[in-house]
Amino acid sequence: MWHVIASEWLKFRSLRSNLYLLASSLISILLCVGVAYLVSRGFDGQSAEDRLRFTSLGAGLGTGLPVAYFIVGALGALSITHEHASGQIRTSLTVVSKRQLLLFAKVPALALITLVAGQILVFGMHFATQAVLGDRAEQVVGGGRALGPSLGDPGVAAELLTAGAIMPLIAMVGLGVGALIRSTAGSLVTLVMILLVLPIVSGALPTPWRSRISSVMIESLPTQIASGEGTGVFALLLSPLAAAAALIAYPVVALTAGAVATAVRGRRIRPLVVGGLITALLATVIAISPGAGAGSLAWQPHHSSVEVPVAT
Amino acid sequence: MRYRDKLAVDDLTFSVKPGIVTGFLGPNGAGKSTTMRMILGLEVPDRGTALIGGTPYTSVKTPMRMVGALLDAGDVHGGRTAAAHLWSLARSNGLARARVAEVLETVGLTEAADRRIGGFSLGMRQRLGIAAALLGDPGVLMFDEPINGLDPEGIRWARELMRRLADEGRTVLVSSHLMNEMALTADHVVVIGRGRLIADTTMVELAERYQRGVLVRATDQWTLTEVLRSGGATVREEDGALSVSGMDAGRIGELALARGIALRELTPRNASLEEAFMELTEDSVEYTTRRAA
């Protein structure tokens, strides 16, 4: 088993396209810079009173994070769809004839790389936002939070670490989707749906469903885990434990689907049962875990008064 | 083994012995590659088993040490260098890194070790695939159409390599749709057509089976015909010569000498293996057509 894991590490490392893709994830930091710049310009043009109506940029991840998630997910998907596209998969399965082993041996290398890359990215996004905001970061805006809370402020470091730590899980989602769909284009479209489109669609649902569905979307889970606090449409519905269970359910479901699709026909029951049981366990945790104060969520006054500032 | 409704390989049983090169022949679509994929566990037969040294391939922990296989030289990621590709394969089976340089040397790709496979010619890819098969120094080797894309020098090299591997006591199975090539490489042939076994025999036997009598020219052909017929042979005239069957060349010579007839030509005629192959596979087509009717 260790041999196969080491081999997958070599395979990942020896493809230049993986390095390019990792490098392209820096776009997420640029996006944060761009948003922070626009907010700064708008902020400067407002009176002191109006400035109070700005929304805090939080840890500074906002716009960049979904992009970073997508690139990391793509990295996971490509690690298997590349093999299908080139035919390398047949060579790989000839030298490692245990199919599940080949699939899961990709996990450690992917996890390690995306964990490191993820932490670099989220801290990069945070510091880039801070740098662009400059002195404005400390100014108090709507809800009594600073425009750009610094690393020392409560919850910020935890949110960053959580958001970064989630990257490997997103990569696993990508790997599972890739193993299931096999085509690069199809996998990437599916990832866009899961990571970018579904959160938007769920935000447009009618009320009880809007917050229920939104609260289990990947991008809303880090905040719920880190601070036990949801913002905006991702109003708090899940306890940190339930949010963590929901988050783990994503790669579990994706990898189960991938493992079942990878298995030789006639051997598909076992991965299906194992993955199904873990998913059921996680679903139970989400269901019985006390809904973290459904009563308190919508009435947090600072959230109800938030308005989106328009830079003029 | 079926693909949807198409029967690809049907009730095929043969075994491959060590120490010789076994040719695996059949026309395109006969099921050669499917059979090899089943042996390697890439396809699952509806029933029956493929065993290597008595064990199914997929239950072996480090398969590269037991079986080296080249199925399709194109089954590689073009973005890796030859050395990186081989090293990742070797690593998965716990093989030493030194093997990479060794096999590259064996197939003559040392110079190209650090070049990306994407830029390789088909011939170079074949050599790379052969190198990958040799990595684990396995006792069993399977090559699916290994000479495709090789230049004449490469074909000769591949032929010699296979003979050498067999001489070292390994089991070598080489598929091809070119009978003439196999005639030069293989000692034993397994011929299949439409997924069924047509012949499982030695090259020598196959050549004998398709012998077409002896061509004789003599000074006095009329007398010779009488002599041979009374000796039990069947004689036919053919373009001013005699086509003799049912008697070997040696006996014909002896009878002619006894009667003082001078022979001007005495040629045992074999059908070319190519013809033998065509005839063999033609039968299989007829057989399946009859069965379907």
Side-chain angles (χ1 to χ4, degrees):
Chain A
M1 190 178 78
W2 295 109
H3 292 318
V4 185
I5 290 172
S7 159
E8 288 300 330
W9 166 258
L10 290 173
K11 273 161 122 180
F12 188 95
R13 224 189 46 179
S14 56
L15 278 187
R16 217 186 266 172
S17 54
N18 282 334
L19 295 180
Y20 293 154
L21 196 55
L22 272 175
S24 77
S25 65
L26 295 175
I27 290 171
S28 59
I29 296 178
L30 288 181
L31 269 172
C32 288
V33 168
V35 168
Y37 174 71
L38 288 178
V39 169
S40 301
R41 271 191 52 186
F43 194 79
D44 289 344
Q46 302 294 320
S47 64
E49 205 173 290
D50 284 336
R51 286 179 181 179
L52 280 176
R53 299 171 66 183
F54 270 69
T55 317
S56 166
L57 287 176
L61 300 176
T63 335
L65 194 59
V67 175
Y69 281 165
F70 173 69
I71 291 172
V72 162
L75 209 56
L78 284 173
S79 70
I80 186 95
T81 59
H82 259 166
E83 294 216 16
H84 282 288
S86 62
Q88 168 81 33
I89 189 77
R90 282 185 288 276
T91 302
S92 298
L93 283 174
T94 309
V95 299
V96 180
S97 55
K98 299 195 169 49
R99 297 183 172 204
Q100 315 293 327
L101 176 59
L102 185 72
L103 177 63
F104 287 101
K106 291 181 183 297
V107 170
L110 259 183
L112 184 69
I113 288 158
T114 54
L115 181 66
V116 173
Q119 297 296 354
I120 291 173
L121 285 179
V122 290
F123 280 92
M125 286 186 250
H126 172 75
F127 289 121
T129 304
Q130 290 280 308
V132 175
L133 290 178
D135 294 340
R136 306 175 199 91
E138 287 160 25
Q139 299 221 20
V140 174
V141 292
R145 269 190 116 184
L147 181 63
S150 72
L151 200 57
D153 287 357
V156 172
E159 187 182 334
L160 288 177
L161 288 171
T162 318
I166 283 169
M167 300 285 184
L169 296 178
I170 311 273
M172 299 308 107
V173 173
L175 178 63
V177 166
L180 174 68
I181 295 177
R182 298 190 182 183
S183 108
T184 303
S187 304
L188 295 188
V189 169
T190 309
L191 282 177
V192 168
M193 295 299 285
I194 296 173
L195 297 172
L196 307 173
V197 177
L198 278 187
I200 295 172
V201 171
S202 66
L205 291 171
T207 17
W209 291 105
R210 178 171 123 155
S211 48
R212 275 180 207 169
I213 304 293
S214 295
S215 66
V216 293
M217 290 295 114
I218 290 183
E219 64 173 75
S220 67
L221 291 170
T223 345
Q224 296 182 83
I225 295 171
S227 51
E229 180 185 308
T231 53
V233 291
F234 312 128
L236 185 67
L237 265 183
L238 302 174
S239 67
L241 179 65
L247 190 60
I248 294 169
Y250 275 94
V252 167
V253 169
L255 283 176
T256 302
V260 170
T262 307
V264 174
R265 60 198 166 110
R267 304 249 178 92
R268 292 187 167 153
I269 302 296
R270 211 176 70 162
L272 187 63
V273 168
V274 173
L277 283 178
I278 301 175
T279 310
L281 188 72
L282 292 169
T284 315
V285 171
I286 300 169
I288 62 168
S289 166
S296 69
L297 76 127
W299 288 273
Q300 288 175 8
H302 52 277
H303 282 195
S304 57
S305 67
V306 162
E307 277 174 35
V308 179
V310 181
T312 45
Chain B
M1 175 73 221
R2 282 168 185 278
Y3 288 117
R4 306 206 178 206
D5 286 339
K6 195 182 179 317
L7 199 60
V9 174
D10 184 18
D11 205 10
L12 178 65
T13 303
F14 64 92
S15 57
V16 185
K17 288 166 213 65
I20 54 170
V21 176
T22 303
F24 191 29
L25 279 155
N28 291 331
K32 303 185 294 291
S33 301
T34 305
T35 305
M36 286 187 157
R37 282 205 299 269
M38 282 195 285
I39 296 172
L40 296 172
L42 292 176
E43 309 277 357
V44 186
D46 300 310
R47 70 199 153 77
T49 44
L51 304 178
I52 295 173
T55 34
Y57 183 80
T58 50
S59 69
V60 181
K61 231 179 160 188
T62 50
M64 289 174 85
R65 293 174 193 272
M66 192 171 87
V67 183
L70 163 63
L71 286 187
D72 184 336
D75 287 347
V76 286
H77 196 299
R80 289 195 183 88
T81 63
H85 171 70
L86 291 176
W87 174 220
S88 75
L89 296 180
R91 191 71 193 81
S92 71
N93 275 238
L95 306 173
R97 188 164 194 174
R99 284 296 295 157
V100 173
E102 284 170 28
V103 294
L104 280 170
E105 175 83 52
T106 309
V107 301
L109 284 179
T110 308
E111 307 276 291
D114 294 323
R115 279 168 53 192
R116 273 166 214 291
I117 303 169
F120 279 19
S121 68
L122 179 54
M124 289 170 85
R125 282 173 202 237
Q126 292 285 17
R127 286 171 185 264
L128 181 67
I130 293 172
L134 296 174
L135 269 175
D137 196 17
V140 179
L141 287 148
M142 288 203 302
F143 301 108
D144 195 3
E145 310 267 2
I147 59 162
N148 275 4
L150 288 178
D151 54 20
E153 190 276 327
I155 292 176
R156 192 147 131 215
W157 164 80
R159 196 185 295 149
E160 278 161 12
L161 175 71
M162 276 159 215
R163 298 223 60 100
R164 193 169 76 232
L165 292 167
D167 289 343
E168 287 166 1
R170 299 175 213 261
T171 306
V172 184
L173 181 67
V174 187
S175 86
S176 178
H177 55 268
L178 302 172
M179 188 67 166
N180 286 340
E181 178 51 39
M182 282 299 102
L184 296 168
T185 317
D187 311 286
H188 193 98
V189 276
V190 172
V191 184
I192 66 169
R194 300 225 166 171
R196 287 180 159 263
L197 187 68
I198 297 172
D200 181 356
T201 177
T202 63
M203 264 304 170
V204 178
E205 264 177 59
L206 193 69
E208 270 172 12
R209 202 195 300 176
Y210 286 88
Q211 206 166 41
R212 286 189 177 157
V214 184
L215 190 78
V216 185
R217 285 177 206 275
T219 44
D220 186 357
Q221 289 192 173
W222 193 82
T223 317
L224 186 61
T225 307
E226 292 299 299
V227 172
L228 294 177
R229 282 198 176 133
S230 58
T234 317
V235 184
R236 242 172 350 98
E237 232 191 78
E238 194 180 296
D239 291 336
L242 302 175
S243 173
V244 184
S245 50
M247 188 180 279
D248 67 16
R251 182 80 187 125
I252 296 169
E254 281 165 21
L255 287 174
L257 180 64
R259 295 296 295 264
I261 301 169
L263 294 180
R264 282 191 263 146
E265 186 180 349
L266 183 63
T267 317
R269 292 192 298 181
N270 293 331
S272 75
L273 283 166
E274 201 66 55
E275 286 172 84
F277 174 59
M278 298 295 264
E279 227 167 276
L280 274 171
T281 49
E282 220 171 59
D283 286 350
S284 91
V285 174
E286 272 172 19
Y287 175 70
T288 38
T289 323
R290 245 192 343 259
R291 198 171 63 124

